[in-house]
Amino acid sequence: MTVPPLAPYPATRLRRLRQADWTRRLVRETQVMPSDLIWSMVVHEGEGTVPVASMPGVERLSVKEAAKAAVRARDLGIPAIAIFPHIDPSRKDATGSIAADPDGVIPRAVKAMKDAAPEVGIMCDVALDPFTDHGHDGVVEGGRILNDATIERLIEQGLMQAAAGADILAPSDMMDGRIGRLRGALEGDGFQDTMIMSYAAKYASAFYGPYRDAIGSAKLSAGQGDKKTYQMDPANTEEAIREVALDIAEGADMVMVKPGLPYLDILRRLVDEFRMPTYAFQVSGEYAMIKAAGANGWIDEERAILESLAAFKRAGAAGIITYFAPWAAEKLGG
Ligand code: PBG
């Protein structure tokens, strides 16, 4: 029996271009580079470094260590670092009253990092949850997370971060109207050049689990056991378009989708729709899953990390906020 020829003729063989590394490189459509990475980093109030149990390889860094990390980022070609605070539980309260403390660990870290490596952009999380004893991102009253009262606190916090030298403010709270109010406050106080990256499409996700461990945020309480009244329903796409449209109209310079890998469809749609610099946050749970499976020998960890980063680029991300940044930059750099 003769095998029929591959149709159409002359044979289209897509494998021809895949036969060697040089040709695969030649036809490659996207490439992850150190300049695509924003290093997600946790800073703490104490000295030295403290490992995060659920995120092997991630450590909370002191202000001093954070400054050294900024130098490392510069040397690795990582353009920016996003910092998140671990706060001692004894200093938290219902309103997160120390969130805007100009002597807090975040402004101290920003100053130390900008002194050590002024070429590296520093991005600050604008949100109350690291500072509240109920773990919510806002002011809570009778089990309700108050929108406008929360925004007032976020503006104080954001202005304090800008004054400390933060280059990008990244509100992750999901209150309505906070981008416009924050932009107005920044303009009014002479911070015209301070950028805003809005956590525009942020979903109420299970993938943030290890982050609570990393920053030591409180178990959600105050009559509201989840963040579903402010973060988005994972089932929704059209609503992400409305969220992002609003944030752009209110003055966001960059927008973000969070979590990352399970939401690549949202990322692609937002890039197509708005043509804005759009970032993906590869969150703590995504990090932990790859590390755990890798440690068990169930996946090839290094390949899985690089493949996940490549997937973000392919989906249209302008950059990726990731805990893998230093490792990946070392691997990809040079
Ligand atoms: C909250 C905030 C969260 C993360 C960043 N900012 C957690 C949450 O919304 O509950 C998650 C980051 C991660 O999981 O890596 N303001």
Side-chain angles (χ1 to χ4, degrees), residues 127 129 137 172 202 208 211-212 227 231 258 283-284 323:
D129 60 311
D137 295 40
S172 68
K202 174 171 177 178
Y208 309 146
Y211 176 82
R212 310 250 156 97
K227 298 190 176 185
Q231 300 179 349
K258 181 184 175 193
V283 299
S284 56
Y323 300 92

Side-chain angles (χ1 to χ4, degrees), residues 45 86-92:
E45 299 170 300
H86 175 279
I87 303 294
D88 192 275
S90 68
R91 291 163 29 77
K92 301 186 187 190

